[in-house]
Amino acid sequence: GLPESYLIHGGRTPNNEISSSLYLLTMDSRGCNRKLTVRCQEKELVAEVPGARYGHTMSMVQSRGKTACVLFGGRSYMPAGERTTESWNSVIDCTSQVFLFDLEFGCSSAHTLPELHDGQSFHVALSREDCVYFIGGHSLTSDSRPPRLFRLRVELLQGSPLLTCETLDTGLSISSAIVTRTGPSHKYIILGGYQSDSQKRLECSTVILDEKGIQFEPLEPPNWTPDIIH
């Protein structure tokens, strides 16, 4: 029942400011000439609100005729009480809590799951119906990009939602990748990103979400230009 839209949350500015704002972008076509207008509306969240962060993901889930937004991961400044002059701009991975909120009423809730015990940032998130898949990501604690893959299932029950998480063993070691949908089906391409701080990921992958779960297939990469390779 919601209009097609884009959600923007958080982000880090060149002035090292980190945002906690949530914006809803929609396109409005009105008038005799059908002029297209982009509308931006700030949405307020209440209750257990996610803090300012960047490098996180937001995904939409649908369950029992209802829709909700899942926010996970990201990076932010260390708490003010722990910062010193030398570490004033130091960042840490946010806690591994999952935040769930609806766009109609803006009510947000935080959920802790034992499978998600480490913070991660710059991962990839893909969703289909009531499931979200978290792929890869970078951990500041271990300074690594382990090939993690989690499947989060969200049941929007009457009263309080039920969240369950499963660790899968077919993930990718990747961070800061681009993901794009290739058509009306749940088929995506993961492109670029990093395998380590000094090594770009020049391979491409097709990702398919279906009733069975998630499947990865190698895809012939484009003919990279030398400036991208180096």
Side-chain angles (χ1 to χ4, degrees):
L2 296 171
E4 184 174 359
S5 58
Y6 289 91
L7 290 170
I8 300 175
H9 179 273
R12 186 175 184 177
T13 72
N15 294 326
N16 281 332
E17 297 169 340
I18 301 179
S19 172
S20 61
S21 298
L22 173 66
Y23 298 97
L24 180 69
L25 292 181
T26 55
M27 287 182 286
D28 192 11
S29 180
R30 294 182 182 179
C32 57
N33 61 355
R34 308 301 291 174
K35 181 180 179 182
L36 195 64
T37 304
V38 178
R39 307 184 63 155
C40 181
Q41 177 187 5
E42 185 170 2
K43 304 288 288 187
E44 294 289 338
L45 297 177
V46 296
E48 297 174 299
V49 179
R53 64 190 64 205
Y54 68 103
H56 53 299
T57 56
M58 286 196 302
S59 310
M60 300 302 298
V61 290
Q62 293 178 317
S63 168
R64 302 173 185 263
K66 295 184 283 187
T67 303
C69 186
V70 175
L71 185 150
F72 175 67
R75 206 159 276 175
S76 190
Y77 289 126
M78 62 173 59
E82 300 177 16
R83 283 192 266 174
T84 64
T85 303
E86 292 77 15
S87 65
W88 194 254
N89 286 330
S90 296
V91 294
I92 57 173
D93 286 323
C94 297
T95 62
S96 55
Q97 285 181 313
V98 174
F99 291 88
L100 191 69
F101 54 86
D102 68 274
L103 293 174
E104 184 178 2
F105 301 106
C107 186
S108 174
S109 57
H111 304 266
T112 301
L113 299 160
E115 295 81 5
L116 301 173
H117 47 76
D118 292 323
Q120 63 191 77
S121 308
F122 304 107
H123 54 282
V124 170
L126 299 173
S127 62
R128 184 180 190 271
E129 297 175 357
D130 61 353
C131 288
V132 183
Y133 296 87
F134 301 125
I135 307 167
H138 180 261
S139 170
L140 272 178
T141 305
S142 60
D143 190 22
S144 63
R145 293 166 177 81
R148 290 181 289 199
L149 175 60
F150 301 103
R151 177 169 55 201
L152 177 73
R153 188 180 300 275
V154 180
E155 295 183 72
L156 299 175
L157 305 175
Q158 195 71 28
S160 59
L162 175 64
L163 279 70
T164 55
C165 187
E166 182 182 0
T167 303
L168 306 178
D169 58 2
T170 55
L172 298 177
S173 178
I174 192 170
S175 67
S176 302
I178 296 171
V179 59
T180 184
R181 195 166 176 169
T182 60
S185 63
H186 288 278
K187 187 175 181 179
Y188 304 84
I189 291 176
I190 294 181
L191 178 71
Y194 287 86
Q195 292 177 309
S196 67
D197 288 345
S198 59
Q199 184 180 2
K200 293 181 179 180
R201 184 177 185 269
L202 300 178
E203 300 85 9
C204 297
S205 301
T206 297
V207 187
I208 301 170
L209 306 183
D210 55 23
E211 294 81 3
K212 299 178 182 178
I214 184 170
Q215 304 170 49
F216 295 92
E217 298 177 359
L219 182 67
E220 186 70 24
N223 188 15
W224 301 110
T225 58
D227 57 330
I228 292 179
I229 294 175
H230 298 295

